[in-house]
Amino acid sequence: MLDEECVKLNQHGETSVEFDFFYLPIDFNTDGNYGYALVNFTSSSAVRKIYNAFQGHRWDYLGSDKIVKVNYAHVQGLGMLVSRAKGLKLRRRTQIPDSYLPSLFVPPRNGLRKSVEHLLGNRILI
């Protein structure tokens, strides 16, 4: 979904909307997400475009009626996000899927070009 929005926004502007870090925390008891994601966009203009595209809009995904709220995270910058993600320990009794881990993308994703995904964090089976 984020890739699709990047494609749309990149078709209508001079500045590129790209992100190089993504993490959607998952509740292991329900296998559902907690309702927020951490995304690092590569420029302040990209943040403004994403804010304008999503803020206050209905989350029209899988029948949800939630309203999107875009906030700045307490942890800012790719270096800090990667550092924290590398130290993350995900504990679960069953296998932890790759999609549950934070991801670093090189080059940054913009919805069009291929990026290599680097999974961060540590899986611990208990």
Side-chain angles (χ1 to χ4, degrees):
M1 185 178 122
L2 192 52
D3 279 331
E4 294 159 358
E5 194 62 35
C6 287
V7 169
K8 279 195 270 182
L9 293 171
N10 287 330
Q11 290 174 349
H12 304 292
E14 315 85 45
T15 58
S16 185
V17 177
E18 302 176 327
F19 62 99
D20 50 15
F21 180 89
F22 181 84
Y23 178 46
L24 180 67
I26 300 294
D27 179 342
F28 291 156
N29 294 318
T30 65
D31 283 327
N33 67 66
Y34 285 108
Y36 69 94
L38 300 173
V39 183
N40 189 71
F41 292 97
T42 59
S43 70
S44 58
S45 60
V47 172
R48 282 191 296 278
K49 286 182 176 185
I50 289 293
Y51 180 90
N52 291 335
F54 283 102
Q55 180 66 17
H57 289 84
R58 185 174 170 272
W59 187 258
D60 192 22
Y61 186 71
L62 297 177
S64 175
D65 61 353
K66 295 181 180 178
I67 303 298
V68 176
K69 185 175 182 184
V70 179
N71 289 315
Y72 287 97
H74 296 288
V75 176
Q76 289 290 314
L78 181 61
M80 291 296 295
L81 288 166
V82 168
S83 177
R84 285 190 147 205
K86 283 182 177 179
L88 185 66
K89 293 177 175 47
L90 300 174
R91 293 175 171 84
R92 186 174 173 169
R93 292 185 180 165
T94 59
Q95 182 61 35
I96 298 171
D98 288 351
S99 61
Y100 287 18
L101 295 170
S103 297
L104 170 68
F105 300 103
V106 179
R109 288 176 76 145
N110 66 5
L112 297 172
R113 72 171 164 244
K114 297 279 185 191
S115 292
V116 176
E117 180 178 16
H118 301 274
L119 298 174
L120 306 170
N122 303 286
R123 300 174 197 184
I124 301 171
L125 292 176
I126 54 173

